[in-house]
């Protein structure tokens, strides 16, 4: 059985993610094999909020070079979670 912390890896912190806080949208990096239902249940269990919608996207890792050596960053999955109106995730609100 997966715990909420196996599914939610970290909050995605960027200017675009911060701008969603006002509308109740929070962005997380999630496990690549997780589904929308698993993400919803994990956020509700971890932060004690009611989730209204979950949008997910797969982001491909960039190709990177250092001199003659080339490599690739890992592919990741991002979830944008919308919580019920009037609710907040206090743990992320303090990061602004």
């Amino acid at each position: 059985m997966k715990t909420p912390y196996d599914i939610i890896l970290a909050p995605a912190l960027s200017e675009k993610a911060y701008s969603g806080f006002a509308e109740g949208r929070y962005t997380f990096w999630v496990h690549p094999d997780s589904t929308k239902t698993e993400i919803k249940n994990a956020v509700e269990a971890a932060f004690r909020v009611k989730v209204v919608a979950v949008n997910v996207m797969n982001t491909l890792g960039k190709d990177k070079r250092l001199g003659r050596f080339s490599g690739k960053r890992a592919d990741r999955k991002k979830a944008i979670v919308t919580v019920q109106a009037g609710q907040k995730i206090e743990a992320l609100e303090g990061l602004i």
Side-chain angles (χ1 to χ4, degrees):
M1 167 118 180
K2 294 181 186 176
T3 66
Y5 306 105
D6 292 334
I7 295 170
I8 301 169
L9 302 179
L13 303 176
S14 64
E15 288 184 34
K16 192 171 186 178
Y18 287 140
S19 66
F21 287 3
E23 293 106 30
R25 284 193 216 115
Y26 299 92
T27 308
F28 298 98
W29 294 114
V30 295
H31 193 275
D33 297 333
S34 59
T35 63
K36 286 185 177 186
T37 307
E38 289 175 338
I39 295 166
K40 176 184 176 184
N41 294 336
V43 170
E44 287 179 347
F47 299 108
R48 310 247 190 278
V49 292
K50 176 71 176 145
V51 174
V52 177
V54 177
N55 299 89
V56 296
M57 62 189 77
N58 290 308
T59 59
L60 298 177
K62 293 181 178 181
D63 292 327
K64 289 293 185 179
R65 281 181 46 132
L66 183 61
R68 65 187 176 123
F69 302 103
S70 63
K72 184 177 179 295
R73 287 189 183 164
D75 298 338
R76 300 194 285 180
K77 189 173 201 176
K78 184 165 46 171
I80 301 172
V81 177
T82 305
V83 298
Q84 195 172 36
Q87 292 187 336
K88 294 181 180 180
I89 297 178
E90 294 297 330
L92 297 179
E93 290 287 335
L95 298 176
I96 295 177

